């Protein structure tokens, strides 16, 4: 008896431990990730927002609007129309900055259509704007759920920088930042800069240097993940208010891409949401990234140090001498590759509500 009882105890303890672990681990595993979506909608913003709304892994706590692709006012109207379409007036939609920190706004109706949504008209919805200012709402939500909020900015980083400037104590309380912006292989606005960073380089530099966990989902992801006619046809196979809206917006983008000789439309903004849903879609490398704010040809470039080291040059007489190498601390996980087909399949199936 004694031997049996002794023999059974470790097994029982193991089972109890496993059960307790599951009880503790399950809610955390099952709980959707709380995100704040900062956006300048925008056609690819629309794709990103629908992906976020249709992803059970995410709990969209707020949408904050920043000027970029369109003016702040038009972006706000578009955001409200889309949450209305999705029947999600429970999600606060807040207005924020009206212009970049230190430069004039550059809007992009050329790419996004006169209304910012590829000239796809949505009815004025029933959802109303939240009374809180975007930066204040970001600060409030982070303090209400410390270490639980993931920021997903897919526009210029003005609102996020304003929140940081107003309350730097949010830095250690944010779970992570997964942003769409930047590039380590040339720009899409010009030779050097990606659009979101180009539209507010000073704000971007503040956000990159804040000291929080940050993933940069840049052009290396979006340009590799092209939504082609094949995927558009799949979206067109099913119908519903969101499905049909997405089909029309994506068709606008695929047709636009064809005019510029591309086989499909790059999945820029949806890529940050996709990484928030499933980080295994991308390969990352830790790098130190600075944002160029002064270059004649490079303002808005994300300057990434691939080997995280700089030479130490010391003045000796009339010239400098390299005396060693100093390490540089990475401040970003930079996405360098993506499983494009898996990402696109996920996007299509989520749009279709599956
Ligand atoms: Ca955007």
């Amino acid at each position: 008896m004694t031997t049996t009882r002794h023999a059974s105890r470790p097994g029982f303890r193991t089972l109890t431990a496993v059960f307790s672990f599951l009880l503790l681990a399950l809610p955390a595993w099952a709980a959707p990730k709380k995100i704040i979506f900062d956006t300048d909608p925008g056609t690819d913003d629309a794709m990103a927002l629908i992906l976020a709304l249709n992803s059970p892994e995410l709990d969209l706590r707020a949408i904050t609007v920043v000027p970029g692709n369109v003016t702040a006012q038009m972006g706000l109207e578009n955001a409200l129309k889309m949450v209305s379409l999705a029947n999600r007036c429970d999600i606060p939609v807040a207005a924020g900055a009206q212009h970049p920190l230190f430069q004039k706004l550059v809007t992009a109706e050329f790419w996004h259509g006169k209304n910012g949504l590829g000239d796809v008209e949505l009815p004025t919805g029933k959802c109303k704007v939240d009374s809180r200012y975007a930066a204040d709402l970001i600060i409030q939500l982070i303090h209400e759920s410390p270490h639980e909020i993931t920021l997903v900015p897919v526009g210029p980083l003005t609102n996020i920088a304003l929140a940081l400037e107003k309350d730097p104590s949010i830095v250690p309380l944010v779970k992570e930042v997964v942003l769409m912006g930047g590039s380590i292989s040339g720009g899409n606005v010009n030779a050097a800069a990606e659009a979101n960073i180009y539209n507010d380089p000073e704000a971007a530099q503040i956000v990159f240097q804040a000291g929080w966990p940050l993933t940069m989902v840049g052009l290396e992801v979006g340009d590799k993940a092209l939504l082609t006619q094949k995927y558009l046809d799949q979206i067109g196979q099913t119908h519903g208010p969101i499905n049909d809206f997405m089909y029309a917006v994506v068709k606008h983008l695929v047709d636009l891409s064809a005019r510029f000789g591309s086989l499909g439309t790059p999945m820029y903004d949806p890529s940050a949401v996709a990484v928030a849903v499933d980080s295994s879609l991308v390969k990352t490398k830790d790098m130190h990234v600075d944002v160029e704010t002064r270059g004649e040809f490079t303002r808005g470039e994300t300057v990434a140090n691939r080997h995280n080291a700089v030479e130490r040059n010391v003045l000796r007489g009339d010239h400098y001498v390299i005396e060693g190498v100093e390490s540089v601390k990475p401040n970003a996980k930079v996405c360098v590759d993506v499983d494009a087909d898996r990402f696109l399949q996920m996007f299509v199936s989520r749009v279709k509500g599956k």
Side-chain angles (χ1 to χ4, degrees):
M1 281 273 295
T2 311
T3 311
T4 309
R5 196 181 296 155
H6 275 245
S8 70
R9 271 181 188 162
F12 180 72
R13 278 197 201 118
T14 307
L15 273 176
T16 308
V18 168
F19 188 64
S20 304
F21 171 77
L22 282 174
L23 273 180
L24 284 172
L26 202 58
W29 169 80
K33 189 184 278 188
K34 296 184 174 92
I35 71 164
I36 297 175
F37 184 70
D38 188 71
T39 178
D40 57 336
T43 45
D44 59 332
D45 299 75
M47 296 162 75
L49 177 58
I50 298 303
L51 178 59
L53 287 168
N54 281 10
S55 290
E57 298 88 349
L58 302 181
D59 173 7
L60 190 45
R61 304 306 296 238
I63 297 167
T64 50
V65 178
V66 68
N69 292 326
V70 293
T71 62
Q73 184 57 37
M74 184 181 285
L76 181 64
E77 286 165 16
N78 288 343
L80 289 167
K81 285 175 180 173
M82 289 189 283
V83 288
S84 297
L85 180 74
N87 232 348
R88 291 297 307 272
C89 293
D90 58 299
I91 300 169
V93 177
Q98 299 296 302
H99 50 76
L101 295 184
F102 295 110
Q103 69 181 29
K104 284 203 189 307
L105 175 65
V106 182
T107 58
E109 290 84 353
F110 179 81
W111 299 113
H112 295 266
K114 283 194 195 71
N115 70 353
L117 296 176
D119 295 327
V120 180
E121 293 297 341
L122 288 179
T124 302
K126 55 189 179 298
C127 304
K128 303 288 179 221
V129 63
D130 193 277
S131 61
R132 292 164 288 187
Y133 182 66
D136 292 332
L137 180 58
I138 291 167
I139 291 167
Q140 181 187 338
L141 292 178
I142 291 168
H143 282 287
E144 282 174 6
S145 300
H147 313 293
E148 291 182 4
I149 299 281
T150 296
L151 300 177
V152 185
V154 298
L157 290 159
T158 322
N159 281 339
I160 312 297
L162 288 170
L164 271 171
E165 294 288 285
K166 188 161 187 183
D167 183 1
S169 80
I170 60 174
V171 169
L173 300 178
V174 167
K175 185 181 167 77
E176 58 176 334
V177 179
V178 182
L179 66 86
M180 191 280 136
S183 164
I184 58 169
S185 51
N188 61 354
V189 170
N190 53 33
E194 180 281 328
N196 282 345
I197 308 298
Y198 179 81
N199 273 314
D200 200 339
E202 284 80 10
Q205 177 67 342
I206 289 169
V207 171
F208 272 86
Q209 307 315 317
W212 45 19
L214 185 149
T215 300
M216 173 179 132
V217 193
L219 298 185
E220 287 71 25
V221 174
D223 281 338
K224 191 175 176 187
L226 293 182
L227 195 154
T228 57
Q229 186 68 41
K230 177 182 87 169
Y231 298 102
L232 176 63
D233 290 344
Q234 290 173 19
I235 294 172
Q237 285 164 3
T238 47
H239 296 284
I242 289 179
N243 198 139
D244 295 347
F245 167 62
M246 268 295 92
Y247 180 84
V249 169
V250 176
K251 184 174 187 314
H252 167 89
L253 290 171
V254 171
D255 292 348
L256 187 65
S257 300
R259 278 172 38 205
F260 288 85
S262 175
L263 290 173
T265 185
M267 295 282 280
Y268 292 141
D269 287 358
S271 62
V273 174
V275 171
V277 170
D278 180 2
S279 61
S280 77
L281 287 167
V282 290
K283 187 177 156 198
T284 65
K285 280 189 185 169
D286 291 346
M287 298 181 194
H288 186 91
V289 178
D290 279 298
V291 178
E292 177 59 80
T293 55
R294 284 179 289 185
E296 181 182 357
F297 303 108
T298 54
R299 180 169 155 80
E301 180 176 3
T302 44
V303 183
N305 191 321
R306 274 79 153 176
H307 46 268
N308 292 311
V310 289
E311 289 179 348
R312 184 173 68 252
N313 299 345
V314 180
L315 188 60
R316 298 280 178 231
D318 67 346
H319 70 287
Y320 286 89
V321 175
I322 299 167
E323 290 207 338
V325 175
E326 287 175 354
S327 62
V328 176
K329 198 169 167 230
N331 60 358
K333 285 184 186 304
V334 176
C335 295
V336 293
D337 202 3
V338 58
D339 186 340
D341 185 56
R342 192 156 69 87
F343 169 25
L344 286 154
Q345 297 282 3
M346 180 177 90
F347 177 75
V348 169
S349 66
R350 297 292 166 92
V351 167
K352 290 156 76 86
K354 291 176 183 169

